[in-house]
Each structure stands twice: as structure tokens, then as C-alpha cells.
Amino acid sequence: MAETREPTIRVTAMPADTNPYGGVFGGWLMSQMALAAGSLASRTGRGKAVVVSASDFAFPGAMAVGDELSVYCEIAATGTTSLTIAAEAIARERNGESQVKVAQGRFKFVLLDENDRPRAAAAPSKSFHPR
């Protein structure tokens, strides 16, 4: 079944992204998820957003070098000055259509003003539609 949602980012795992055992490194997966979540937090918050915590990580599947990683993000919670983003990482085999969830987790971001002080997290405008 084809995916109907749009990924926040998409990237291909390369040989440099492997662990000593030849598998794709979990830290690389987490960094790709953080990049995607940060992109959504900055767009939604309309400014600087910095990660303050990462939690609830699970790695239910594995991916190989050459597989395409798609990271899907959504806002899980909005606080006074923060956004919590849920991220899900799906790998698609390089030479086919088979997909597997390889990671999931949550990132909490604090929105900052021009002086790097926390600022209010306003609700997204009705015209905002993440792609």
C-alpha cells in the first residue's frame, strides 16, 4: 500500500552511516529524526527552536546501506514555550517497495526569541499546512 502522508525529510543511508557491525547506526537514525523534528518545530513555531529532550525511542526494525529513510513528524503536544514532536522513521529497500519501521521517538523543543530567551508557542495559523 502506498504511503499517503508526506515525509518531513527523506535520505539514503550510506556506508559512512554504519556501526562497527555493518548495520545502519542507531545514532544516525536519531540524528535524521532530530533534523526532521527540528524542521517542523521551526516552521510551526515560526522561528528558532532548540531541542531540550529526546525520549521514547524504539528501534523495531533494521535498515541496510542504500535503503531510503523517510521521517514523518507530527506535533504531539504544545506547551507554553515548547512543542513536542513525534517522529517515525520508515526504511524502503533500495531496489523495491518493501518498507519497515526502523525507529520512533519524541523530541521536545523550546521556542526562542531573538535574545535566545524562551517565547510563547502560539497556535499555528489556520493557513499553515506542513508539506
Side-chain angles (χ1 to χ4, degrees), residues 6 9 16 20 24-25 32 86 104 110 117 121-122 130:
E6 290 289 322
I9 65 170
V24 173
F25 179 49
Q32 298 307 310
Q104 64 186 38
V110 170
R117 304 292 306 156

Side-chain angles (χ1 to χ4, degrees), residues 29-123:
L29 287 169
M30 290 176 71
S31 70
Q32 298 307 310
M33 294 165 70
L35 287 169
S39 176
L40 179 57
S42 292
R43 286 192 339 253
T44 302
R46 305 248 192 257
K48 192 173 188 178
V50 296
V51 68
V52 295
S53 70
S55 62
D56 301 324
F57 277 89
F59 300 89
M63 67 183 294
V65 169
D67 286 355
E68 181 182 86
L69 181 71
S70 295
V71 180
Y72 300 90
C73 295
E74 65 181 23
I75 299 168
T78 301
T80 305
T81 62
S82 66
L83 295 172
T84 299
I85 309 291
E88 181 180 53
I90 306 292
R92 183 184 55 79
E93 67 182 349
R94 181 161 186 85
N95 298 321
E97 297 301 322
S98 180
Q99 296 184 38
V100 63
K101 182 193 293 190
V102 292
Q104 64 186 38
R106 290 179 176 257
F107 296 88
K108 186 171 187 176
F109 290 84
V110 170
L111 303 177
L112 300 179
D113 65 15
E114 60 279 351
N115 297 312
D116 290 337
R117 304 292 306 156
R119 65 176 172 82

